[in-house]
């Protein structure tokens, strides 16, 4: 059986939370429940000698929760997961684990997420 996953390139995530909103709407999750959440990492001061530490970095990282089933009903209709479809930064990809693992090797600041069976 083919197993699928999400490849999330958090370097380009703007934190718009469109994935969160689309997921909640698609699955009608109640208040306090999410299929995906955008988490904050930072801010922290960058310690680059060229800018004397005047710049800061802040990552926004979309993280699927245990409620995520990769939109099984959408997949049955040959549609991609709603979070991928609505990602404004185009930083989420959906595919087989093999395809996504191959993409993962091409650049840093990505995570591969696979739901539990």
């Amino acid at each position: 059986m083919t197993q699928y996953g999400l490849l999330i390139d958090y370097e380009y995530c703007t934190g718009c939370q469109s994935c969160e909103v689309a997921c909640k709407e698609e699955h009608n999750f109640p208040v306090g429940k999410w299929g995906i959440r955008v988490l904050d990492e930072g801010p922290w001061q960058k310690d680059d000698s060229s800018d004397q530490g005047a710049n800061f970095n802040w990552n926004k990282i979309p993280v699927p929760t245990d409620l995520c089933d990769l939109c099984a009903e959408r997949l049955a209709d040959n549609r991609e997961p709603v979070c991928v479809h609505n990602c404004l930064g185009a930083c989420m990809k959906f595919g087989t684990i093999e395809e996504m693992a191959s993409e993962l090797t091409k650049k840093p600041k990505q995570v591969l997420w696979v739901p539990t069976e």
Side-chain angles (χ1 to χ4, degrees):
M1 176 182 224
T2 304
Q3 199 171 11
Y4 294 92
L6 290 176
L7 182 63
I8 301 169
D9 183 349
Y10 64 89
E11 181 176 15
Y12 296 110
C13 180
T14 64
C16 72
Q17 298 176 302
S18 62
C19 57
E20 282 185 8
V21 173
C23 180
K24 275 186 88 67
E25 289 293 316
E26 180 77 15
H27 297 286
N28 199 28
F29 289 135
V31 172
K33 300 286 183 181
W34 293 269
I36 190 165
R37 291 294 311 262
V38 178
L39 303 179
D40 290 319
E41 183 207 16
W44 68 91
Q45 191 172 18
K46 292 176 67 176
D47 191 22
D48 298 346
S49 59
S50 63
D51 65 17
Q52 291 81 38
N55 288 319
F56 290 82
N57 196 4
W58 194 324
N59 288 324
K60 301 291 189 171
I61 306 173
V63 179
T65 72
D66 288 342
L67 294 177
C68 178
D69 65 357
L70 292 176
C71 292
E73 289 183 19
R74 289 177 61 89
L75 295 180
D77 290 337
N78 292 316
R79 297 185 298 161
E80 64 190 358
V82 72
C83 59
V84 176
H85 180 76
N86 286 281
C87 179
L88 297 177
C91 61
M92 300 176 79
K93 295 180 184 177
F94 169 77
T96 66
I97 292 175
E98 292 78 20
E99 292 168 336
M100 298 298 97
S102 175
E103 290 293 315
L104 183 63
T105 65
K106 295 179 182 176
K107 73 176 288 293
K109 293 196 174 186
Q110 297 186 102
V111 292
L112 177 57
W113 184 83
V114 180
T116 57
E117 299 264 337

